[in-house]
Amino acid sequence: MARTLTMIEAITEAMAQEMERDERVFVMGEDIGLSGGVFKATAGLYDKFGEERVLDTPLAEGNIIASAVGASMVGLRPIAEIQFADFITPAMESIVQQASKIRYRSAGGYGCSLTVRICCGGGTGGGLYHSQENAAWFVHEPGLKVVMPSTPYDAKGLLLAAIRDPNPVLYFEHKKLYRTAKGDVPEGDYTVPIGKAETRRQGRDMTVVTYGYMTPLCLEAAEQMSKSGVEAEVIDLRTLSPLDRDTVLESVRRTNKCLIVHEDKRTLGIGGEISAIIAEEAFEDLDGPIVRITGPDVPAIPFAPPLEHAWMVNTEKIVAGMQKLAAY
Amino acid sequence: MARTLTMIEAITEAMAQEMERDERVFVMGEDIGLSGGVFKATAGLYDKFGEERVLDTPLAEGNIIASAVGASMVGLRPIAEIQFADFITPAMESIVQQASKIRYRSAGGYGCSLTVRICCGGGTGGGLYHSQENAAWFVHEPGLKVVMPSTPYDAKGLLLAAIRDPNPVLYFEHKKLYRTAKGDVPEGDYTVPIGKAETRRQGRDMTVVTYGYMTPLCLEAAEQMSKSGVEAEVIDLRTLSPLDRDTVLESVRRTNKCLIVHEDKRTLGIGGEISAIIAEEAFEDLDGPIVRITGPDVPAIPFAPPLEHAWMVNTEKIVAGMQKLAAY
Amino acid sequence: MASKSGRAVAELETEKSENGRELMLGLYQMLVKCRMCDEKARILFRQGKYAGNFYSGVGQEAAEVGAAYSLREDDWIAPSHRDWTANIIKGAPLKLCFAQLFGKATSPDRGKSTPAHMGYPPIHTITPASSIAGQLAVGTGVAFGLKRLGRDTVVVSFFGDGATSLGGFHEALNFAGVHRLPIIYVCQNNLWAESVPLRLQTALTDLSDRAKAYGFPGVSVDGNDVMAVYDAATKAIARARSGEGPTFIECKTYRWYGHSEIDPAKYRTKEEVEAWKKRDPLVLFEKVLRDKKFLTDELKDKIAKGITQEINEAVEFAEQSPYPDASELKDHIWAQE
Amino acid sequence: MASKSGRAVAELETEKSENGRELMLGLYQMLVKCRMCDEKARILFRQGKYAGNFYSGVGQEAAEVGAAYSLREDDWIAPSHRDWTANIIKGAPLKLCFAQLFGKATSPDRGKSTPAHMGYPPIHTITPASSIAGQLAVGTGVAFGLKRLGRDTVVVSFFGDGATSLGGFHEALNFAGVHRLPIIYVCQNNLWAESVPLRLQTALTDLSDRAKAYGFPGVSVDGNDVMAVYDAATKAIARARSGEGPTFIECKTYRWYGHSEIDPAKYRTKEEVEAWKKRDPLVLFEKVLRDKKFLTDELKDKIAKGITQEINEAVEFAEQSPYPDASELKDHIWAQE
Ligand SMILES: Cc1ncc(C[n+]2csc(CCOP(=O)(O)OP(=O)(O)O)c2C)c(N)n1
Ligand SMILES: Cc1ncc(C[n+]2csc(CCOP(=O)(O)OP(=O)(O)O)c2C)c(N)n1
Ligand SMILES: [Mg+2]
Ligand SMILES: [Mg+2]
């Protein structure tokens, strides 16, 4: 049975069900226990599972991850929360030098089955330090999987897949989608495979590659373009690492054009890699440049409404990109 | 008057001369004082300038950078050293949330004139944690400049430019070049402009974009190809952020082909961005795919000689890439 | 420096001093100003006058004012998220403080950062990042720079109990200890870090014990007693100014409201909140002043009226100020060489 | 736990115990084994038998052996760069230890990591990253996991004086304090972090004072007195095992050679080195054993010969082992689901 849930409800449900199913699973992070999380992602878990399995940690992101890595090494399955992606920097050492490399450096002797939930993204007035998205750093680091759902269905399915994955998985959640993304979510158990993109809309005229909060905007833009006869195919990556090259390449080889859309800064954003893969593998199929619509090369999203608005990719900007590409 | 210096000598000279010239300049880091640095980059400075200006710090990379940021805010010009790029992760917060954003978040009220010297790169048997190169993370962060010299001349000139730059500059040094790169270096004062790539070899048949330790290897490969009549143009980026788009694009528009070479991991390495820029701006000029020859998507460079060798890009691999591209 | 509670040591030095009256009335006025500005900031947020968030310091004014009041003009403050009023104490025009909340082009950061995360270069308050302990690390760097420049200026660094768990806190304090930096670490221990209670934050009872790991003095004081904080702070400032190095001051206090204006703070008991409200730092200090006959109803009224007017003007200024233009998005990323 | 130097408290408990002789001879043998293996590792590096680097622990064996000797098989060790011998103490076959140095396919990490950075899952030693304090943070996480699983196993974490400056150190120890984790933090304070002297690392005299910031006991012992270390460690292990939480043990000791085999260590004075060499932990302990008539020339010889043979076999094994094939470059990145 499926019901309509918001994305945040889907996330909470995934954790609750998996904790019920698997004793090894527990959650830890700042403000995830007593208060149920800044965005209420862990609401109800503390009452249900108690402090042992829903642990409010000291204010120390590096240790949240390091202690979760250690706990996973003895067979537990921690879900660690980083309250805002902006505050993941103190945990860089733990994520990149420990979580992503413990298996490799021990030749498989020690593993790290760890899920890190990270709230990210702009467009909600969060200002410079409550709006960042930095998944790109981690996509650069093999040994880590990186996912980011755009629908409640995927939010639950990807989170269950992440928790069960024997590798460290960074699970980015866009705060703007928490309550705006609503959709059918099965009550029961299911997973969405990590590493598989989803084609959200079919189209013959161009491929749009995107993920997260940009997905609904791209779909909206595609509908607008449809009115003038241009049919865009919209691919929601869902997994940012490892990238689903096949789905992207197959589509681009068919549509012969590619638009990449993300909210993160342009330079060395995920779009750079997508573009490079296409330019390398599907060059002969291209009928136009690979166009990127992205956030600007600015340190972070500023607070003042006109500045935040100027940063954010919106339907209008995406349509403009589509029109530019359609002209080829 | 120019003399032949090794790269490490050029680096030491730049610091010594600038400390002489400008009282505000000082160096700080681990083992840079009493011992003159793990690679002797700061040799002699302690004796010459004393502990006040050549400061061995506690083992705390985050604080090395944070204290340098603070010192720069009151008008000093710190040169901070991160002993190995592998150990920059504990400083991620200080670099990305402080150094790169203090000017922006204060609307120019506070500045950050800071140079961070970072020893990086593989091929010397350093193993997983003494071989990393992670400049790509920082290229993704506006507010930071990122440079990486490939010759002693540039090493001195870029370092002087970095110290005088009123912005935070990350200055990456490839350890493999410290003593293998030798060349003419003027005794006097000069700077190499940040943001300008250098064309190290002219060629009509393809553009090779590279930087750092890969530069001499690309030049060697180009000479080999020349024997079979293929003339490669070799561009040494020198500055990784902001990228010198113009030099790259102008060349590609002329040669119609592009090979990108770097030692860092492939996915979201700097090559991704270069490729994306070309695919976006010079698409119509391309006669072949944009080919990348890079390190593999493996967590870091392993120690065992066969494994390290398998990781490293070498002249052979570059030649293979050139041949592939020449065939188009 | 050894006493655990400044107040318990009986009459404080500063109270005995010549111009005790002037000083104490000055402190009182500043307490009232901070309280009134803070309450106004909360109302404005609830009225939807600005987005983002606000972190009220109501209940903690004695720690804030006591620690920063005696700073010289050329001294520095490294405020954190709950220290918007530190700017007021250091002398920032209220107009700018409210423009900051509104993210207007007239604010020191031209709307770039976040409401309440305020710094203002002319008065040497450092624009904070939100990242906890970040401002503390950079503030320590400023102290390091000042020392290298041979200045006799000092830095006051504000932060909470939660901040003391972060690695950046440790690295900074350790460095300050090694180099005897001119900095005063003022920890406002309000028993909660957002919703995390102290028992899950630290095994310590007194956070001043943290200082024992760095070789400089730590002292715990009643953070709701402005004179106790002031006394500890002036001693620490004198110490720092004369080159003897840092001091850690733990001010035990409490925030009356949620972590931020969007936090209902259901994790705390009513009893706990009520008990602390009974120890309102303003009421406590008013009683001292009245006992000493320094404060009358008349004067109290006059002070409140003056501040009200100043606030109204400031809010009006902020409201009338324009937002920065979208074209400013790319300004201030790079310094011009 | 309060005493600053275990030895000064006169005769140690363990020395009075029933099987003192067996225990002490066991400790002695392990000291000799660590010394001989370490010296051999140095020679092999200098002979160019392997690249990378080696971080000799010669001079610090008493701290290493004393702290780890009484661990149970199911207990864990989180070694750092200078603790290659921790694997030996915990029972790793010497063959694997030397294969590790050589980066051979027969080493536990199949040549992936770095010589000397050794871990071996069957004996629960954690393969360390080079990043200082990293192994300490992960080791604390293991202790956290063990406690959650309800096990009565403990973790010994080894690190140096320099490591205590890092943020990760602070965050881990704070967490261990809050949750009374079953971990023993063994700081080998050898006065230098690479070339940085203690006075530039910390304002403290005794690094055990760091523990005061975390609410658990800290003790400083003579790190060249194996019995003093052993005594402090067994108490701390018992404490951890019974759920009372962590202990910090500072072992004051000294490394005889450079930071690594490529460091001439010119930053130290000859006098300092000589003075410490006179306090050779092996010689000191040998004297104790001889006084007690536990050790004879004959036995000493026999022990040395046995170890020499074991080492020779191990080195031969390592030399003869193949390197991993280049095709292994991409192995072990991902677990198979
Ligand atoms: C590095 C980092 N992690 C998390 C946060 C989110 N956050 C903001 S304030 C806060 C609690 C701070 O507690 P404390 O230091 O006690 O200060 P208080 O809010 O009580 O004044 C948290 C977790 C942050 N701003 N920075
Ligand atoms: C985070 C980090 N920074 C720098 C280094 C380089 N490094 C390796 S060992 C060392 C000194 C360690 O000193 P200490 O902790 O006292 O241990 P010791 O070497 O004396 O045993 C340094 C700086 C590192 N490995 N990790
Ligand atoms: Mg607090
Ligand atoms: Mg040491």
Side-chain angles (χ1 to χ4, degrees):
Chain A
M1 259 289 293
R3 310 109 319 143
T4 300
L5 295 186
T6 60
M7 184 181 279
I8 194 88
E9 287 166 341
I11 289 168
T12 311
E13 184 168 288
M15 287 190 279
Q17 288 182 1
E18 195 64 0
M19 289 176 77
E20 199 81 66
R21 202 187 68 89
D22 185 345
E23 274 209 324
R24 301 169 303 170
V25 178
F26 69 100
V27 300
M28 62 190 299
E30 295 157 12
D31 307 298
I32 55 110
L34 279 176
S35 92
V38 169
F39 293 96
K40 301 286 162 252
T42 50
L45 299 186
Y46 185 89
D47 288 343
K48 201 160 178 180
F49 298 101
E51 192 166 291
E52 269 279 295
R53 294 182 71 194
V54 185
L55 184 61
D56 279 322
T57 63
L59 211 174
E61 283 77 9
N63 190 67
I64 291 174
I65 305 299
S67 55
V69 169
S72 86
M73 283 168 65
V74 295
L76 294 165
R77 300 242 154 180
I79 307 172
E81 180 179 309
I82 299 290
Q83 198 166 86
F84 289 92
D86 316 60
F87 308 134
I88 206 168
T89 37
M92 201 71 183
E93 161 74 18
S94 298
I95 296 174
V96 170
Q97 307 298 3
Q98 303 302 332
S100 83
K101 296 189 176 67
I102 177 73
R103 181 180 306 280
Y104 193 69
R105 77 171 182 251
S106 66
Y110 292 107
C112 178
S113 180
L114 165 64
T115 304
V116 187
R117 290 182 40 249
I118 304 151
C119 169
C120 73
T124 65
L128 284 187
Y129 292 97
H130 288 78
S131 307
Q132 298 176 24
E133 188 221 301
N134 34 38
W137 293 336
F138 306 104
V139 173
H140 187 52
E141 298 305 321
L144 298 174
K145 297 187 178 181
V146 183
V147 303
M148 187 159 171
S150 79
T151 67
Y153 179 92
D154 282 359
K156 180 173 174 182
L158 276 173
L159 187 46
L160 288 172
I163 301 169
R164 294 175 195 172
D165 198 291
N167 298 289
V169 182
L170 306 192
Y171 179 97
F172 281 87
E173 308 164 3
H174 198 296
K175 61 176 82 69
K176 183 96 176 170
L177 290 173
Y178 276 152
R179 288 181 172 81
T180 61
K182 296 188 186 95
D184 279 0
V185 177
E187 275 176 17
D189 191 89
Y190 68 96
T191 58
V192 167
I194 294 176
K196 290 303 279 167
E198 174 80 4
T199 304
R200 298 264 174 226
R201 184 184 196 280
Q202 316 275 335
R204 59 170 187 269
D205 298 322
M206 67 179 64
T207 301
V208 179
V209 181
T210 191
Y211 60 91
Y213 167 54
M214 294 292 114
T215 308
L217 302 190
C218 287
L219 288 169
E220 210 180 293
E223 287 309 313
Q224 285 185 29
M225 289 298 287
S226 177
K227 286 176 199 140
S228 47
V230 176
E231 295 300 340
E233 181 145 313
V234 179
I235 295 177
D236 175 3
L237 288 171
R238 304 197 296 193
T239 293
L240 306 180
S241 182
L243 281 165
D244 182 354
R245 303 157 63 96
D246 294 344
T247 299
V248 171
L249 288 170
E250 186 280 322
S251 173
V252 172
R253 285 189 179 121
R254 218 170 355 86
T255 65
N256 311 117
K257 286 180 184 169
C258 186
L259 180 78
I260 300 164
V261 180
H262 60 65
E263 175 182 320
D264 191 14
K265 302 176 291 286
R266 165 164 312 210
T267 296
L268 275 181
I270 285 149
E273 183 59 28
I274 305 281
S275 177
I277 290 171
I278 297 168
E280 200 153 12
E281 307 278 337
F283 163 75
E284 293 175 60
D285 301 295
L286 284 176
D287 281 350
I290 305 171
V291 178
R292 288 182 289 172
I293 306 290
T294 70
D297 282 335
V298 164
I301 305 183
F303 169 70
L307 301 181
E308 177 171 46
H309 181 77
W311 171 298
M312 293 300 289
V313 171
N314 53 32
T315 313
E316 236 178 320
K317 293 180 190 173
I318 299 169
V319 167
M322 288 175 170
Q323 283 167 342
K324 176 178 166 188
L325 198 52
Y328 275 82
Chain B
M1 259 288 292
R3 310 112 316 145
T4 298
L5 294 186
T6 60
M7 184 182 278
I8 195 90
E9 288 166 342
I11 289 169
T12 311
E13 182 167 286
M15 286 190 280
Q17 288 183 0
E18 194 64 1
M19 288 177 77
E20 200 80 69
R21 200 188 70 89
D22 185 346
E23 275 209 322
R24 301 169 303 171
V25 177
F26 69 100
V27 300
M28 63 189 298
E30 294 157 12
D31 307 298
I32 56 109
L34 279 176
S35 93
V38 169
F39 294 95
K40 301 287 164 253
T42 50
L45 299 186
Y46 185 88
D47 288 343
K48 199 159 180 181
F49 299 101
E51 192 166 293
E52 269 278 297
R53 293 181 71 194
V54 186
L55 184 62
D56 278 324
T57 63
L59 211 174
E61 284 76 9
N63 191 66
I64 292 174
I65 305 300
S67 54
V69 169
S72 86
M73 283 168 64
V74 296
L76 294 164
R77 299 243 156 180
I79 308 173
E81 179 179 308
I82 299 291
Q83 199 166 85
F84 289 92
D86 316 61
F87 307 133
I88 205 168
T89 36
M92 201 70 183
E93 161 74 18
S94 298
I95 297 174
V96 171
Q97 307 299 1
Q98 303 301 333
S100 83
K101 295 188 176 67
I102 176 73
R103 181 180 306 280
Y104 193 69
R105 76 170 182 250
S106 65
Y110 293 106
C112 178
S113 180
L114 165 65
T115 304
V116 186
R117 289 183 40 248
I118 305 149
C119 169
C120 72
T124 66
L128 284 187
Y129 293 97
H130 289 78
S131 306
Q132 299 176 24
E133 188 222 301
N134 35 37
W137 293 336
F138 305 104
V139 174
H140 186 53
E141 299 304 321
L144 300 174
K145 296 186 179 181
V146 183
V147 304
M148 188 159 169
S150 78
T151 68
Y153 180 92
D154 282 359
K156 179 172 174 184
L158 276 173
L159 187 46
L160 288 172
I163 301 169
R164 294 174 196 173
D165 197 294
N167 299 289
V169 182
L170 306 193
Y171 179 97
F172 281 87
E173 308 164 3
H174 199 296
K175 61 176 81 69
K176 183 97 177 167
L177 290 173
Y178 276 151
R179 290 182 171 81
T180 61
K182 296 186 186 97
D184 278 0
V185 177
E187 276 176 16
D189 190 272
Y190 68 96
T191 57
V192 166
I194 295 176
K196 289 303 276 167
E198 175 79 5
T199 304
R200 298 262 173 227
R201 185 184 196 280
Q202 315 275 336
R204 57 167 191 268
D205 298 322
M206 67 179 65
T207 300
V208 179
V209 181
T210 191
Y211 61 91
Y213 166 54
M214 294 293 113
T215 307
L217 303 191
C218 287
L219 288 169
E220 210 180 293
E223 288 309 313
Q224 285 186 30
M225 289 298 289
S226 176
K227 286 175 201 146
S228 48
V230 176
E231 296 300 341
E233 181 145 313
V234 178
I235 295 177
D236 175 4
L237 287 171
R238 304 197 296 192
T239 293
L240 305 181
S241 181
L243 282 164
D244 182 354
R245 302 157 62 95
D246 293 345
T247 299
V248 172
L249 288 171
E250 185 280 321
S251 174
V252 172
R253 285 189 180 120
R254 212 166 4 82
T255 66
N256 311 117
K257 285 180 186 169
C258 186
L259 181 77
I260 301 164
V261 180
H262 59 67
E263 174 181 322
D264 190 16
K265 302 175 292 286
R266 166 164 308 208
T267 296
L268 276 182
I270 285 150
E273 184 60 28
I274 306 280
S275 177
I277 290 171
I278 297 168
E280 200 154 12
E281 308 277 337
F283 164 74
E284 293 174 61
D285 302 296
L286 283 176
D287 282 350
I290 305 170
V291 178
R292 287 182 288 172
I293 307 289
T294 69
D297 282 335
V298 165
I301 306 183
F303 169 70
L307 301 181
E308 178 170 47
H309 181 78
W311 172 298
M312 293 299 290
V313 172
N314 54 30
T315 313
E316 236 180 318
K317 293 180 191 175
I318 300 169
V319 167
M322 287 174 169
Q323 282 166 340
K324 177 178 166 185
L325 199 51
Y328 275 82
Chain C
M1 277 298 156
S3 99
K4 276 283 167 193
S5 163
R7 199 61 179 185
V9 207
E11 211 176 359
L12 297 164
E13 276 171 50
T14 21
E15 282 180 67
K16 290 180 293 188
S17 77
E18 281 291 295
N19 33 16
R21 183 176 180 280
E22 197 184 323
L23 168 69
M24 287 171 82
L25 277 176
L27 285 165
Y28 172 74
Q29 256 180 288
M30 195 53 88
L31 284 175
V32 175
K33 192 169 181 179
C34 289
R35 169 70 56 91
M36 288 175 72
C37 286
D38 192 312
E39 290 284 11
K40 186 68 182 182
R42 298 184 63 233
I43 290 168
L44 292 167
F45 181 81
R46 277 150 195 271
Q47 289 174 336
K49 299 278 185 175
Y50 61 99
N53 212 339
F54 183 74
Y55 306 87
S56 168
V58 166
Q60 305 187 185
E61 295 91 347
E64 199 90 27
V65 172
Y69 191 77
S70 64
L71 287 175
R72 279 190 342 214
E73 232 174 74
D74 55 350
D75 289 331
W76 290 64
I77 295 182
S80 186
H81 60 295
R82 206 173 297 292
D83 310 301
W84 173 66
T85 55
N87 290 280
I88 297 173
I89 304 165
K90 196 78 183 20
L94 284 196
K95 289 180 180 185
L96 300 190
C97 299
F98 283 93
Q100 169 74 30
L101 296 181
F102 284 55
K104 292 298 180 72
T106 51
S107 83
D109 72 352
R110 301 192 67 81
K112 286 276 193 314
S113 181
T114 297
H117 287 68
M118 177 168 175
Y120 185 41
I123 58 167
H124 304 307
T125 55
I126 304 171
T127 320
S130 299
S131 1
I132 297 294
Q135 81 292 348
L136 191 153
V138 169
T140 302
V142 166
F144 169 58
L146 294 170
K147 173 141 194 170
R148 281 215 61 233
L149 290 170
R151 307 259 174 83
D152 73 338
T153 38
V154 306
V155 180
V156 163
S157 167
F158 282 115
F159 53 92
D161 42 298
T164 71
S165 296
L166 263 161
F169 164 87
H170 173 73
E171 295 186 355
L173 272 75
N174 184 54
F175 188 66
V178 170
H179 293 286
R180 299 176 160 264
L181 299 184
I183 185 163
I184 301 93
Y185 294 105
V186 181
C187 176
Q188 301 189 40
N189 178 359
N190 58 15
L191 307 183
W192 295 88
E194 206 151 338
S195 71
V196 180
L198 201 62
R199 73 174 170 85
L200 289 175
Q201 195 73 245
T202 171
L204 297 177
T205 307
D206 293 317
L207 281 170
S208 55
D209 282 350
R210 295 270 201 224
K212 294 187 172 145
Y214 311 115
F216 56 80
V219 56
S220 292
V221 299
D222 176 353
N224 283 15
D225 179 343
V226 70
M227 292 307 295
V229 178
Y230 180 84
D231 237 47
T234 45
K235 276 180 206 148
I237 291 167
R239 199 182 123 81
R241 215 183 286 296
S242 67
E244 290 169 77
T247 305
F248 186 103
I249 303 176
E250 179 197 24
C251 302
K252 293 187 192 279
T253 183
Y254 201 76
R255 64 167 154 79
W256 284 12
Y257 306 118
H259 169 69
S260 73
E261 290 311 303
I262 56 170
D263 171 22
K266 294 207 180 121
Y267 42 83
R268 312 191 299 191
T269 62
K270 277 216 180 73
E271 292 70 39
E272 182 178 297
V273 178
E274 287 316 312
W276 277 96
K277 281 194 174 171
K278 283 201 188 110
R279 299 204 64 251
D280 181 344
L282 266 77
V283 172
L284 292 179
F285 195 49
E286 205 182 301
K287 188 172 172 327
V288 173
L289 293 180
R290 284 191 190 267
D291 285 353
K292 287 185 185 283
K293 311 256 185 280
F294 290 169
L295 188 69
T296 59
D297 284 347
E298 225 180 354
L299 181 55
K300 185 179 166 181
D301 243 46
K302 196 179 140 205
I303 288 170
K305 277 208 188 101
I307 296 171
T308 304
Q309 193 185 332
E310 209 188 331
I311 290 176
N312 288 343
E313 281 166 22
V315 173
E316 170 137 357
F317 170 83
E319 288 201 289
Q320 312 247 308
S321 291
Y323 281 116
D325 190 80
S327 65
E328 290 195 30
L329 177 64
K330 295 200 173 186
D331 289 352
H332 310 301
I333 303 174
W334 306 109
Q336 301 321 320
E337 270 119 295
Chain D
M1 276 301 155
S3 97
K4 276 284 169 194
S5 161
R7 200 62 178 186
V9 207
E11 209 176 359
L12 296 164
E13 275 171 52
T14 21
E15 282 180 68
K16 289 180 292 185
S17 76
E18 282 289 298
N19 31 18
R21 182 176 179 278
E22 195 184 327
L23 169 70
M24 288 170 82
L25 276 176
L27 285 165
Y28 171 75
Q29 257 180 281
M30 196 54 87
L31 283 175
V32 176
K33 191 168 184 180
C34 289
R35 169 71 53 91
M36 289 175 70
C37 287
D38 192 312
E39 289 285 10
K40 184 70 182 178
R42 297 184 62 233
I43 290 168
L44 292 166
F45 181 82
R46 277 148 198 273
Q47 289 175 337
K49 299 277 186 177
Y50 61 98
N53 212 340
F54 183 74
Y55 307 87
S56 168
V58 167
Q60 305 187 184
E61 295 91 347
E64 200 89 26
V65 172
Y69 191 77
S70 64
L71 286 175
R72 279 191 341 214
E73 231 174 72
D74 56 348
D75 289 332
W76 290 64
I77 295 183
S80 187
H81 60 295
R82 206 172 295 293
D83 310 301
W84 174 66
T85 55
N87 289 280
I88 298 173
I89 305 164
K90 196 76 186 13
L94 284 196
K95 292 182 179 186
L96 301 190
C97 299
F98 283 93
Q100 170 74 30
L101 296 181
F102 284 54
K104 293 298 180 75
T106 51
S107 83
D109 72 352
R110 300 190 67 82
K112 288 276 194 313
S113 181
T114 298
H117 287 68
M118 176 169 175
Y120 185 42
I123 59 168
H124 304 308
T125 55
I126 304 171
T127 320
S130 299
S131 1
I132 297 294
Q135 82 292 350
L136 190 154
V138 168
T140 302
V142 167
F144 168 58
L146 294 171
K147 173 139 191 170
R148 279 214 63 232
L149 289 170
R151 306 258 175 81
D152 72 339
T153 37
V154 306
V155 180
V156 163
S157 168
F158 282 115
F159 53 92
D161 43 296
T164 71
S165 297
L166 263 161
F169 163 88
H170 173 73
E171 295 186 356
L173 272 76
N174 184 53
F175 187 65
V178 169
H179 293 285
R180 298 175 158 267
L181 299 183
I183 186 162
I184 301 93
Y185 294 105
V186 181
C187 176
Q188 299 190 40
N189 179 359
N190 58 13
L191 306 182
W192 296 88
E194 207 152 335
S195 69
V196 180
L198 203 60
R199 72 174 171 86
L200 289 175
Q201 194 72 247
T202 172
L204 297 177
T205 307
D206 293 317
L207 280 171
S208 55
D209 283 350
R210 295 268 201 225
K212 294 188 172 143
Y214 311 115
F216 56 78
V219 57
S220 292
V221 299
D222 176 353
N224 284 16
D225 179 342
V226 69
M227 291 308 294
V229 178
Y230 180 84
D231 237 47
T234 45
K235 276 180 206 147
I237 290 167
R239 198 181 122 81
R241 216 184 283 297
S242 66
E244 290 169 76
T247 304
F248 186 103
I249 303 176
E250 179 197 23
C251 301
K252 294 187 192 277
T253 184
Y254 200 74
R255 61 166 156 80
W256 283 12
Y257 307 118
H259 169 68
S260 73
E261 290 310 302
I262 56 170
D263 171 22
K266 296 207 178 122
Y267 41 83
R268 310 190 300 189
T269 63
K270 276 214 181 75
E271 293 69 38
E272 183 178 298
V273 177
E274 288 316 313
W276 277 95
K277 281 192 174 171
K278 283 202 190 110
R279 299 205 64 250
D280 182 343
L282 266 75
V283 172
L284 291 179
F285 195 47
E286 206 181 303
K287 188 170 173 332
V288 173
L289 293 180
R290 285 191 190 269
D291 285 355
K292 286 184 187 282
K293 310 257 187 277
F294 290 170
L295 189 68
T296 60
D297 285 347
E298 225 180 358
L299 182 55
K300 185 179 166 182
D301 244 44
K302 196 180 139 204
I303 288 170
K305 275 205 189 106
I307 296 171
T308 304
Q309 194 184 330
E310 210 189 331
I311 289 176
N312 289 343
E313 281 165 24
V315 172
E316 168 135 359
F317 170 82
E319 289 201 289
Q320 313 248 304
S321 291
Y323 281 117
D325 191 80
S327 66
E328 289 194 30
L329 177 64
K330 295 200 174 187
D331 290 351
H332 309 300
I333 303 174
W334 306 108
Q336 301 322 319
E337 268 120 297

